[in-house]
């Protein structure tokens, strides 16, 4: 049977779906285990999210990932993503990164557990807890999977909770750029700094932006802010793009569309605009981070050619 340390891994579940001639009928489901409670498990499958009551599970086990990236590739992408979201307060614990930013977003307020923390794992977690308590914050750890599976297992044993699973997805820019551009939509305006209406739309989604948030959003050397206005001048879509890392990754973040302007293809339109900008800055691939449970966004990114490179769990200390 599956355990908490299997969360974030690819599993196969055989479930009982009925009885025929006094014999049980089974069906198998393959996917990523994203949640496990005392009563049910949740899988992210190719066909969407599947919740299975534990009483229906006949057998379940972890299986190898379909396309497991090398540890070096996961670390390199995570470090590029950290450069694109630079927390203003930082320290190092061996190769782990400790980050704080007025509690604005989990990414900027969690220890990034990649590489060697230069001490035993329990001692590393103790040090993380002390650093965040000293900074007046609840300790959190960003644990990329399956690279940080030992970290997650140790955190399970110590009673740390987990936020919803996040997918780190990647795509080549070539097909995005090759797709025909939309001429029936307002242009994507790319600016070196965000307008007040851009900040307001982001705040509607992310909450009030403290000074640390402004530093994160504007503190990357190669960055751009996408704005789309309707004919009346109202802002209807935004996003932020960055180019970071030795591999020149385009980071797509904060893609949002005003409710009244959804289902018009603006998301694809904005990403194409960011891709054109990034290609001029030497990027050939893009990444983004999206919660697995945000099925609408995952579907949009899938249509753009994004697929999951790896996942991560943001873990929170008890109390």
């Amino acid at each position: 049977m599956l355990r908490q340390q299997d969360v974030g891994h690819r599993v196969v579940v055989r479930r009982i779906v009925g009885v025929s001639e006094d014999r049980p009928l089974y069906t198998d489901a393959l996917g990523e285990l994203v949640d496990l409670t005392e009563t049910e498990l949740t899988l992210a499958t190719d066909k969407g999210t599947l919740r299975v009551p534990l009483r229906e599970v006949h057998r379940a086990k972890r299986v190898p990932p379909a396309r497991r990236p090398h540890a070096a590739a996961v670390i390199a992408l995570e470090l590029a993503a950290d450069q694109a979201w630079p927390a203003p307060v930082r320290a190092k614990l061996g190769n782990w990164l400790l980050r704080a930013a007025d509690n604005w977003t989990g990414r900027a307020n969690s220890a990034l557990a990649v590489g060697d923390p230069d001490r035993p794992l329990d001692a590393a977690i103790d040090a993380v807890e002390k650093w965040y308590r000293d900074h007046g914050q609840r300790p959190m750890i960003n644990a990329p999977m399956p690279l940080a599976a030992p970290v997650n297992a140790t955190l399970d044993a110590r009673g740390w909770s987990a936020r919803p699973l996040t997918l780190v997805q990647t795509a080549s820019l070539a097909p995005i750029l090759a797709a025909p551009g939309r001429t029936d939509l307002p242009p994507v305006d790319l600016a070196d700094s965000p307008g007040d209406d851009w900040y307001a739309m982001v705040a509607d989604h992310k909450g009030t932006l403290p000074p640390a948030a402004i530093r994160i959003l504007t503190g990357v050397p190669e960055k751009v802010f996408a704005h789309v206005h309707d004919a009346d001048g109202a802002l209807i879509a935004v996003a932020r793009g960055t180019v970071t890392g030795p591999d020149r990754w385009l980071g797509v973040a904060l893609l949002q569309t005003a409710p009244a302007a959804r289902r018009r293809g603006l998301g694809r339109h904005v990403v194409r605009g960011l891709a054109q900008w990034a290609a001029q800055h030497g990027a050939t691939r893009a990444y983004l981070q999206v919660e697995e449970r945000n099925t609408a966004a995952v579907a949009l990114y899938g249509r753009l050619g994004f697929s999951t490179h790896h996942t991560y769990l943001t873990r929170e200390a008890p109390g």
Side-chain angles (χ1 to χ4, degrees), residues 2 50 55 58 94 105 115 123 127 158 175 208 212 214 253 261 274 280 284 304 312:
L2 301 173
L50 175 66
R55 65 177 182 274
H58 174 66
T105 74
R158 294 171 67 125
T208 302
I214 307 303
L274 294 179
Q280 295 171 359
T284 60
L304 286 168
Y312 71 76

Side-chain angles (χ1 to χ4, degrees), residues 148-235:
V151 177
N152 273 309
T154 303
L155 295 176
D156 288 338
R158 294 171 67 125
W160 285 49
S161 59
R163 291 186 177 183
L165 185 75
T166 296
L167 312 179
V168 180
Q169 300 197 314
T170 60
S172 171
L173 294 187
I176 298 174
L177 295 169
R182 294 281 297 271
T183 60
D184 59 327
L185 294 174
V188 179
D189 297 321
L190 300 176
D192 293 334
S193 59
D196 291 341
D197 53 356
W198 192 99
Y199 278 130
M201 183 174 281
V202 169
D204 285 342
H205 177 63
K206 287 288 190 181
T208 302
L209 304 181
I214 307 303
R215 291 178 63 182
I216 289 170
L217 295 173
T218 61
V220 182
E222 294 180 88
K223 61 188 177 299
V224 74
F225 299 89
H227 305 67
V228 179
H229 295 88
D230 65 15
D232 296 323
L235 188 65

Side-chain angles (χ1 to χ4, degrees), residues 42-274:
T42 304
L43 296 179
T45 74
D46 290 340
K47 298 179 180 179
T49 300
L50 175 66
R51 290 180 172 82
V52 181
L54 294 185
R55 65 177 182 274
E56 296 179 4
V57 176
H58 174 66
R59 187 176 301 156
K61 65 178 182 179
R62 190 190 298 188
V63 296
R67 296 185 303 274
R68 183 171 183 168
H70 294 298
V74 173
I75 292 172
L77 182 48
E78 284 291 332
L79 293 178
D82 173 70
Q83 292 173 19
W85 207 257
V89 180
R90 306 169 67 85
K92 295 198 74 173
L93 187 71
N95 295 126
W96 287 18
L97 300 177
L98 309 180
R99 308 170 293 185
D102 292 347
N103 286 309
W104 190 74
T105 74
R107 272 180 283 170
N109 291 277
S110 57
L112 179 58
V114 295
D116 183 1
D118 198 29
R119 66 202 67 197
L121 190 50
D122 273 308
I125 296 170
D126 289 342
V128 168
E129 290 182 342
K130 182 180 187 306
W131 191 85
Y132 280 96
R133 302 289 187 201
D134 288 347
H135 285 79
Q137 295 189 196
R138 185 176 184 180
M140 295 198 296
I141 292 178
N142 179 322
M145 297 295 291
L147 179 67
V151 177
N152 273 309
T154 303
L155 295 176
D156 288 338
R158 294 171 67 125
W160 285 49
S161 59
R163 291 186 177 183
L165 185 75
T166 296
L167 312 179
V168 180
Q169 300 197 314
T170 60
S172 171
L173 294 187
I176 298 174
L177 295 169
R182 294 281 297 271
T183 60
D184 59 327
L185 294 174
V188 179
D189 297 321
L190 300 176
D192 293 334
S193 59
D196 291 341
D197 53 356
W198 192 99
Y199 278 130
M201 183 174 281
V202 169
D204 285 342
H205 177 63
K206 287 288 190 181
T208 302
L209 304 181
I214 307 303
R215 291 178 63 182
I216 289 170
L217 295 173
T218 61
V220 182
E222 294 180 88
K223 61 188 177 299
V224 74
F225 299 89
H227 305 67
V228 179
H229 295 88
D230 65 15
D232 296 323
L235 188 65
I236 56 175
V238 300
R240 173 179 175 264
T242 54
V243 172
T244 58
D247 294 326
R248 308 294 292 163
W249 284 97
L250 164 63
V252 178
L254 300 171
L255 177 62
Q256 297 173 52
T257 303
R262 290 173 184 164
R263 300 185 181 278
R264 290 171 48 187
L266 283 168
R268 180 189 294 268
H269 186 52
V270 170
V271 171
R272 189 172 189 275
L274 294 179

